[in-house]
Amino acid sequence: MLKQALAQNGLIAILRGLRPQEAAAIGEVLYAAGFRVIEVPLNSPEPYDSIRILRSTLPADCLIGAGTVLTPEQVEQVKAAGGQVIVMPHSDAKVLRAAKAAGLYLSPGVATPTEAFAALAEGADVLKMFPAEQMGPAVVKAWLAVLPAGTILAPVGGITPDNMQVFIDAGVKGFGLGSGLFKPGMTPEDVAVNAKAYVAAWNALR
């Protein structure tokens, strides 16, 4: 279902710093704009509460996940909160295996082809290329030439509506969007404006 969601809209909302009391309103504006994958990093305030609220608020075709997942224990806590996607900044095999054993979708962070192949061997669904600013579209193109056909690379870090084109031209089929979409203190109206700009750019480029 993760790949289907990204085929519909390849933009992943990363809501670092989201608070539970604003989760429902921000989730609703993101869904209305077209987002179908929303991630709450675990270094946010009370992240499991936000995950629980987003899952109970939004329709079933919107996947809710956790980011900055670092341990197998956190995988279990995400699942208990209703989370469906595990996003990691790294590729720790223990965490990958825990996520697959729990039946969750998995997007580990990779920064080299070696890490990418190892993550795919552990069952990764989507590879998070992080940090995208450091790697760039030339790296995307080189990786996709050797990775298995159909591999989804999602650059994360510094992605704006204006710089998506070069990555899409290189073969990217998804992006993780952080502070350009949401920062702590933004109102739902602020997030709606940013979300619409990203979705408009994505639709125009795709």
Side-chain angles (χ1 to χ4, degrees):
M1 187 174 165
L2 177 59
K3 289 184 178 179
Q4 291 93 310
L6 291 175
Q8 183 177 343
N9 181 342
L11 304 177
I12 300 166
I14 302 170
L15 305 181
R16 191 177 305 280
L18 182 74
R19 295 172 300 155
Q21 57 265 41
E22 60 193 354
I26 287 176
E28 284 168 350
V29 299
L30 289 170
Y31 186 86
F35 281 78
R36 293 299 179 266
V37 184
I38 298 175
E39 163 197 337
V40 179
L42 293 186
N43 53 4
S44 304
E46 301 170 87
Y48 302 109
D49 289 342
S50 292
I51 290 169
R52 207 171 280 113
I53 290 164
L54 287 166
R55 182 61 287 154
S56 64
T57 301
L58 298 177
D61 66 336
C62 187
L63 293 174
I64 308 301
T68 320
V69 179
L70 303 178
T71 68
E73 292 75 21
Q74 289 175 333
V75 170
E76 291 305 320
Q77 289 173 288
V78 171
K79 183 175 183 178
Q84 301 150 284
V85 186
I86 297 296
V87 185
M88 305 158 54
H90 62 336
S91 288
D92 185 328
K94 294 191 302 294
V95 182
L96 272 70
R97 289 167 191 163
K100 294 315 284 188
L104 305 181
Y105 296 107
L106 181 56
S107 180
V110 296
T112 67
T114 298
E115 290 177 350
F117 277 106
L120 290 171
E122 293 288 353
D125 298 288
V126 172
L127 298 179
K128 169 184 169 180
M129 292 189 74
F130 176 78
E133 304 102 316
Q134 182 181 317
M135 304 174 83
V139 172
V140 171
K141 196 168 183 181
W143 284 22
L144 287 174
V146 295
L147 290 170
T151 297
I152 296 178
L153 298 179
V156 177
I159 302 300
T160 70
D162 297 326
N163 68 12
M164 292 196 296
Q165 175 81 64
V166 289
F167 284 100
I168 288 174
D169 289 346
V172 161
K173 293 189 168 54
F175 295 98
L177 308 176
S179 59
L181 176 67
F182 169 85
K183 290 193 195 78
M186 283 185 175
T187 65
E189 292 76 20
D190 296 331
V191 177
V193 169
N194 294 338
K196 287 172 187 171
Y198 273 109
V199 172
W202 171 262
N203 289 338
L205 296 171
R206 296 295 294 164

